[in-house]
Amino acid sequence: MHPFVALQLRVRPVGAAALAAALLVVASGAVPSAQAGDAARHTSSLIRLEAEYVASIAGIPIGRGNWIIELSDDAYSAAASGTTTGIVRFFTGGRGTGTARGTISAGQPMPTAYGATLSYDRKIDDVRMTLTSGNVTDYVVEPPLPPMPDRIPVTDADRRGVLDPMTSMLNRVGGSGDPVSPEACNRKVAVFDGRVRYDLHSEFRRMETVKADRGYEGPAAVCAVYFTPIAGYVPDRPAIKFLVTLRDAEVWLAPIVGTRVVVPFRFSMPTPLGIGLLRATEFVSIAQPSLQPHPIAKTQ
């Protein structure tokens, strides 16, 4: 997820199927829609990540998903989907999809549109947002948050200077050295998911070596991830208290080869049912032919 959609969805009371779908949408992907694909067709430079993930809780497989990211000189798109499997799917199926697209500004992804749909227990959760320069200009959520007197209200200021959950997972590391480094972890992002405004803060823990069944093999930066709610939440909710005090969530960042962008290869966090784990089984970077240099995304 950034720790990401999993953290986002655990803020609300969801069942095992929803948690499984959340773990997948968090760092998964599907074939981009035509609309999403158009965002990365403006220039001749294009680098694409095709990744597949499996999710488990307490070592028991609960789902799978895939994630596709396209980066060009001046735009990006990302699309994800996941579904529950095994015994979880038998009792209560869950499926999630998500898309994001935007431009590249000063080397960093800047979202213009985001959408996510999660279906579980015969319920559907849907979010649609449009953004300009980091500010949410329009959004629709179904179902809306029920009114509660102790909920911290979301103000206009809370919807400014933010990223959507999926774009927040795309981290371009500055400098000219190896992007897979401790610097990749030292990051704080403001996120708005359509209902809740929160901060995600990551800190470096260690370096590890990862190997996908197909694709990337090499170093990964392991980051501790911390969640701080800002608005749209109920302070006394047990899930919120759990997330605020959580110190055992980790994300392993690996590169989109040929770029300075790192994204989650693996994510783990404790849950009431055991350790929730999302890991990549395929992580393949594909460079499209280009007639010109790739000044923004390409590794120096």
Side-chain angles (χ1 to χ4, degrees):
M1 304 193 158
H2 252 277
F4 316 36
V5 181
L7 291 177
Q8 165 198 351
L9 291 171
R10 289 200 58 195
V11 170
R12 301 189 286 281
V14 298
L19 177 58
L23 280 169
L24 292 163
V25 173
V26 88
S28 338
V31 176
S33 65
Q35 184 180 34
D38 287 342
R41 265 187 220 124
H42 297 304
T43 69
S44 58
S45 298
L46 180 66
I47 295 181
R48 175 184 177 100
L49 174 72
E50 298 178 357
E52 295 191 4
Y53 296 80
V54 294
S56 63
I57 292 181
I60 301 173
I62 60 169
R64 63 177 181 269
N66 59 352
W67 194 17
I68 288 180
I69 301 169
E70 292 185 341
L71 296 169
S72 75
D73 292 345
D74 56 6
Y76 73 94
S77 67
S81 71
T83 184
T84 53
T85 60
I87 192 170
V88 175
R89 184 177 182 85
F90 177 79
F91 285 106
T92 174
R95 181 173 180 81
T97 61
T99 61
R101 67 180 186 274
T103 60
I104 304 295
S105 177
Q108 296 294 338
M110 186 66 66
T112 57
Y114 167 77
T117 300
L118 179 68
S119 60
Y120 59 96
D121 298 338
R122 299 182 181 179
K123 301 175 183 178
I124 295 180
D125 186 294
D126 190 70
V127 176
R128 297 285 177 256
M129 289 195 300
T130 56
L131 306 93
T132 301
S133 301
N135 302 322
V136 177
T137 57
D138 189 28
Y139 68 101
V140 177
V141 296
E142 292 292 343
L145 284 175
M148 297 183 67
D150 50 350
R151 186 184 306 281
I152 306 298
V154 177
T155 67
D156 288 342
D158 293 321
R159 294 186 287 268
R160 295 181 176 276
V162 298
L163 299 178
D164 64 82
M166 188 173 292
T167 301
S168 69
M169 291 186 283
L170 309 180
N171 178 16
R172 184 188 183 280
V173 183
S176 58
D178 190 340
V180 185
S181 63
E183 286 72 22
C185 292
N186 298 326
R187 188 173 184 237
K188 181 179 179 180
V189 292
V191 185
F192 181 62
D193 66 13
R195 295 184 179 90
V196 180
R197 163 70 177 85
Y198 55 94
D199 287 342
L200 289 172
H201 175 213
S202 58
E203 294 179 350
F204 176 74
R205 278 198 171 162
R206 64 188 182 278
M207 297 295 296
E208 295 280 0
T209 299
V210 297
K211 183 180 186 302
D213 296 341
R214 176 173 173 264
Y216 182 73
E217 178 180 1
V222 182
C223 318
V225 182
Y226 309 113
F227 171 84
T228 302
I230 304 298
Y233 70 101
V234 178
D236 289 336
R237 285 278 174 84
I240 287 291
K241 292 181 178 180
F242 172 82
L243 291 174
V244 169
T245 58
L246 182 63
R247 293 297 179 268
D248 298 324
E250 289 186 345
V251 61
W252 299 37
L253 300 176
I256 301 178
V257 177
T259 81
R260 299 200 61 79
V261 177
V262 296
V263 296
F265 183 95
R266 173 187 172 113
F267 175 74
S268 66
M269 65 179 290
T271 79
L273 304 177
I275 296 297
L277 176 65
L278 180 77
R279 64 178 181 87
T281 56
E282 297 189 13
F283 201 87
V284 181
S285 300
I286 303 171
Q288 302 291 333
S290 176
L291 299 178
Q292 61 184 18
H294 201 290
I296 294 178
K298 191 171 182 179
T299 303
Q300 296 180 18

